[in-house]
């Protein structure tokens, strides 16, 4: 449950919608009023598609000291390779050394994965095909089984079906084991605020499951999810000193995660007075749109100070589990956790109508998910985990910003050289079950004269080239590449290229994208 408090690689080819043109005019971009006569133009032998006239509003020219003619072309940022996964079959039983989670040989490991929503509410997502998919396709090496304590149907409630909930936890552990993943058994306290409220039920639960799972080397226990309200670290510590021995009686070496005050954010309280048990870690939870630099700095301080922290729940939206997504903050969190080698688990495996759910609310399947089934957070997560089951380019396309594709829409695209292109959708029509889009282009040369030009335009889906004029055109999958021909190649500084365009066909929702 969410705590209660508080794209993109490669040079962008597609940037500003048509409204930006008006903005540029309003701020008086000087190039919009520059004119040049044919007599004064360099001898570039303008063809029928090239004219020397005042240009439309353009991007500012680079300053002279910012770009030399022989400056190397910008290099695309190398994609980060998929991280090695620590899995039970090779890493064995985990333990805690200093601030680090380590494998059986003492090597630092990082767990990265997903949490279920409440098991009583969304039991259907505890199944073998999905857990195998999470491991093999998503690149997760841990799954968290979130069993609410006090919410409707929770273990400590009058309507809670305790035996059925324990059975579901045991099934989840079996599925995770078969998928070669670690598994966190989570006592998901929340509305009960102080873990002492239902300590009796927690002790009962952990006595049974730790007995039944004592021989499993891939099980981690989380004994209180998000203590909150006026619960103090002293309250939590005394609760942990009661419940941990219950687990240790059956499983002396299992890693145990203990929540911290204020919805598992006040990790500094635990750092000041840690528990006197081995193999204990302390939970920090965050929601990226709400929790930012202050909490990130807190994480860095305590981990560098020696506290073993496990981010056993996070989301990239607001702390309610809903609301807006903050991608920049989410990426900053991941960079920090990777730097500190802190393990993290994303909330949640469900199709609940909330931002933090990984599956769209109208998706009824429980395994075999495609990119089309995932929410924005789901797409972000598979992009972050970089699992082998998703093509990186397809993930980036799914996450890309889409330009308007209605007739009359206008957008800007930058060539890799000095010509800035405006694209206008002049016409769309349906024929034989396909949708056709006619694009007209206008290119402004805001730099030095050129002998030739080329621009690649990515679309949201594969396109078929139907026609083009005053240029050479080719397609490869979802990308259309246009290059100058004899009529349009030589473009003087300040001149523009017009009467260039193309027709493509594709799905009705085909759109130019920002990568």
């Amino acid at each position: 449950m969410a705590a209660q408090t508080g794209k993109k690689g490669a040079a962008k080819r597609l940037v500003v919608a048509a409204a930006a043109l008006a903005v540029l005019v309003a701020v008086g971009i000087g190039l919009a009023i520059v004119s040049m006569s044919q007599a004064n133009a360099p001898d570039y032998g303008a063809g029928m598609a090239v004219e020397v006239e005042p240009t439309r509003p353009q991007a500012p020219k680079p300053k002279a000291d910012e770009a030399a003619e022989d400056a190397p072309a910008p290099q695309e940022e190398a994609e980060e390779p998929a991280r090695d996964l620590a899995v039970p079959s090779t890493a064995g039983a985990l333990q805690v050394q200093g601030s680090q989670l380590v494998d059986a040989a003492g090597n630092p490991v990082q767990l990265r994965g997903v949490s279920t929503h409440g098991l009583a509410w969304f039991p259907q997502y505890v199944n073998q095909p999905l857990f195998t998919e999470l491991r093999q396709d998503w690149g997760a090496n841990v799954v968290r089984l979130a069993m609410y304590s006090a919410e409707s149907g929770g273990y400590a409630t009058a309507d809670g079906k305790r035996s059925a909930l324990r059975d579901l936890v045991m099934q989840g552990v079996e599925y995770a084991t078969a998928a070669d993943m670690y598994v966190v058994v989570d006592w998901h306290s929340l509305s009960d605020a102080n873990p002492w409220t239902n300590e009796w039920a927690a002790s009962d639960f952990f006595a049974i499951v730790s007995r039944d799972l004592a021989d499993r080397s891939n099980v981690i226990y989380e004994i209180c999810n998000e203590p909150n309200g006026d619960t103090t670290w002293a309250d939590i510590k005394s609760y942990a000193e009661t419940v941990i021995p219950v687990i240790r009686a059956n499983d002396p070496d299992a890693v145990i995660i203990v929540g911290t005050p204020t919805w598992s954010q006040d990790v500094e309280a635990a750092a000041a007075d840690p528990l006197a048990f081995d193999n204990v870690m302390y939970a920090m939870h965050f929601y990226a749109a709400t929790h930012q630099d202050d909490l990130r700095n807190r994480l860095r301080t305590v981990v560098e100070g020696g506290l073993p922290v496990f981010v056993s729940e996070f989301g990239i939206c607001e702390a309610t589990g809903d609301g807006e997504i903050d991608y920049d903050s989410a990426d900053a969190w991941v960079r920090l956790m990777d730097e500190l080698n802190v393990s993290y688990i994303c909330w949640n495996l469900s199709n609940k109508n909330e931002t933090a759910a990984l599956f769209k609310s109208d998706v009824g399947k429980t395994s075999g998910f495609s990119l089309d089934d995932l929410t924005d957070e789901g797409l972000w997560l598979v992009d972050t985990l970089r699992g082998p089951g998703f093509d990186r380019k397809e993930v980036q396309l799914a996450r890309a910003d889409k330009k308007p594709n209605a007739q009359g829409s206008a957008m800007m695209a930058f060539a890799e050289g000095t010509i800035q292109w405006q694209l206008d959708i002049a016409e769309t029509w349906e024929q034989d079950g396909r949708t056709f889009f006619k694009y007209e282009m206008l290119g402004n040369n805001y730099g030095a004269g050129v002998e030739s030009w080329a621009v690649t335009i990515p679309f949201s889906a594969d396109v078929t080239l139907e026609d083009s004029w005053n240029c050479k055109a080719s397609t490869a999958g979802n990308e259309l590449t246009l290059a100058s021909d004899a009529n349009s190649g030589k473009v003087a500084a300040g001149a523009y290229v017009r009467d260039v365009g193309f027709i493509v066909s594709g799905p009705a929702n085909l759109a130019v994208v920002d990568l």
Side-chain angles (χ1 to χ4, degrees):
M1 184 71 174
Q4 302 304 304
T5 61
K7 314 187 236 161
K8 296 168 178 153
K12 286 190 175 180
R13 301 190 185 99
L14 304 167
V15 288
V16 179
L21 296 175
V23 174
L24 291 176
V25 172
V27 297
I29 299 297
L31 292 174
I33 59 173
V34 174
S35 63
M36 176 182 293
S37 69
Q38 181 69 45
N40 294 330
D43 183 14
Y44 276 90
M48 71 181 202
V50 179
E51 299 200 13
V52 181
E53 292 184 4
T55 61
R56 294 192 183 188
Q58 305 158 357
K61 292 181 181 179
K63 296 179 181 178
D65 59 354
E66 289 181 349
E69 278 192 20
D70 57 353
Q75 298 295 312
E76 290 192 356
E77 183 179 346
E79 182 176 291
E80 177 188 352
R83 297 169 65 91
D84 292 334
L85 289 182
V87 292
S89 62
T90 56
L94 303 180
Q95 53 189 312
V96 180
Q97 291 182 4
S99 67
Q100 294 293 300
L101 188 63
V102 301
D103 64 16
N107 302 306
V109 300
Q110 185 186 38
L111 303 186
R112 307 191 312 162
V114 293
S115 176
T116 68
H117 206 300
L119 294 181
W121 302 340
F122 295 96
Q124 65 269 33
Y125 296 102
V126 180
N127 66 77
Q128 188 65 71
L130 175 57
F131 282 22
T132 300
E133 184 178 333
L134 294 174
R135 165 69 177 86
Q136 295 181 353
D137 295 343
W138 294 47
N141 60 353
V142 63
V143 63
R144 178 184 187 233
L145 304 173
M147 188 186 68
Y148 279 100
S149 54
E151 272 61 36
S152 175
Y155 194 90
T157 65
D159 62 342
K161 299 177 180 178
R162 294 173 194 160
S163 178
L165 287 171
R166 288 196 304 268
D167 288 347
L168 188 57
V169 168
M170 297 300 293
Q171 290 171 3
V173 172
E174 291 295 329
Y175 299 149
T177 303
D180 202 15
M181 285 197 295
Y182 292 96
V183 56
V184 175
V185 175
D186 166 38
W187 180 258
H188 205 80
S189 56
L190 186 67
S191 64
D192 35 3
N194 190 317
W196 273 109
T197 303
N198 288 307
E199 176 274 327
W200 61 272
S203 291
D204 172 75
F205 171 75
F206 283 114
I208 296 172
V209 297
S210 64
R211 178 199 66 200
D212 294 343
L213 297 174
D215 63 339
R216 300 297 180 132
S217 61
N218 62 326
V219 176
I220 297 170
Y221 298 98
E222 185 171 7
I223 64 173
C224 52
N225 166 59
E226 289 181 353
N228 57 81
D230 58 3
T231 303
T232 66
W233 172 244
D235 296 328
I236 300 166
K237 185 177 181 183
S238 63
Y239 163 83
E241 289 170 338
T242 300
V243 174
I244 289 176
V246 172
I247 299 172
R248 289 281 186 254
N250 296 313
D251 195 339
D253 301 316
V255 172
I256 296 173
I257 302 170
V258 181
T260 55
T262 315
W263 293 276
S264 284
Q265 294 169 49
D266 293 348
V267 286
E268 72 280 6
D273 185 21
L275 288 154
F277 294 96
D278 292 333
N279 288 341
V280 168
M281 305 189 79
Y282 302 88
M284 173 181 273
H285 293 178
F286 71 83
Y287 282 78
T290 300
H291 307 117
Q292 306 200 358
D293 284 343
D294 177 68
L295 196 57
R296 283 193 286 268
N297 291 339
R298 202 180 307 176
L299 175 62
R300 177 182 292 280
T301 297
V302 297
V303 172
E304 291 181 346
L307 189 74
V309 175
F310 196 124
V311 175
S312 55
E313 179 183 317
F314 78 92
I316 66 173
C317 56
E318 298 172 18
T320 59
D322 213 351
E324 297 298 317
I325 287 174
D326 189 331
Y327 290 111
D328 289 340
S329 178
D331 293 341
W333 272 108
V334 170
R335 288 193 298 270
L336 177 61
M337 293 186 293
D338 287 348
E339 175 191 343
L340 299 174
N341 204 47
V342 168
S343 297
Y344 50 89
I345 295 177
C346 186
W347 181 267
N348 66 74
L349 290 170
S350 81
N351 65 347
K352 185 179 179 182
N353 188 21
E354 66 178 10
T355 310
L358 298 177
F359 310 129
K360 293 177 180 176
S361 59
D362 60 351
V363 173
K365 64 177 67 171
T366 59
S367 65
F369 293 98
S370 69
L371 292 177
D372 289 339
D373 300 322
L374 304 183
T375 62
D376 289 339
E377 177 168 295
L379 291 170
W380 175 88
L381 183 62
V382 297
D383 201 13
T384 298
L385 295 180
R386 298 187 182 279
F390 295 97
D391 180 86
R392 298 269 55 77
K393 182 176 180 180
E394 291 179 357
V395 173
Q396 289 297 320
L397 281 175
R399 295 190 63 201
D401 290 336
K402 309 296 191 298
K403 298 294 185 181
N405 75 338
Q407 184 171 321
S409 298
M411 61 209 73
M412 301 299 292
F414 287 101
E416 294 179 358
T418 63
I419 299 179
Q420 173 184 290
W421 293 96
Q422 175 182 322
L423 281 68
D424 297 274
I425 302 182
E427 190 177 356
T428 64
W429 66 94
E430 300 286 334
Q431 182 178 329
D432 299 329
R434 295 190 298 161
T435 304
F436 292 75
F437 301 83
K438 178 182 178 181
Y439 286 83
E440 294 178 347
M441 301 176 61
L442 178 73
N444 291 291
N445 186 4
Y446 60 88
V450 297
E451 298 285 336
S452 62
W453 52 263
V455 60
T456 297
I457 303 169
F459 288 85
S460 58
D462 288 354
V463 293
T464 299
L465 178 65
E466 305 290 347
D467 194 11
S468 63
W469 50 96
N470 287 327
C471 61
K472 300 174 183 177
S474 62
T475 57
N478 70 298
E479 292 185 336
L480 170 71
T481 297
L482 305 171
S484 55
D485 65 8
N487 296 319
S488 62
K490 297 181 179 181
V491 188
Y496 71 85
V497 184
R498 67 176 184 179
D499 296 329
V500 173
F502 58 91
I503 297 172
V504 293
S505 62
N509 62 350
L510 181 73
V512 173
V513 300
D514 248 346
L515 291 178

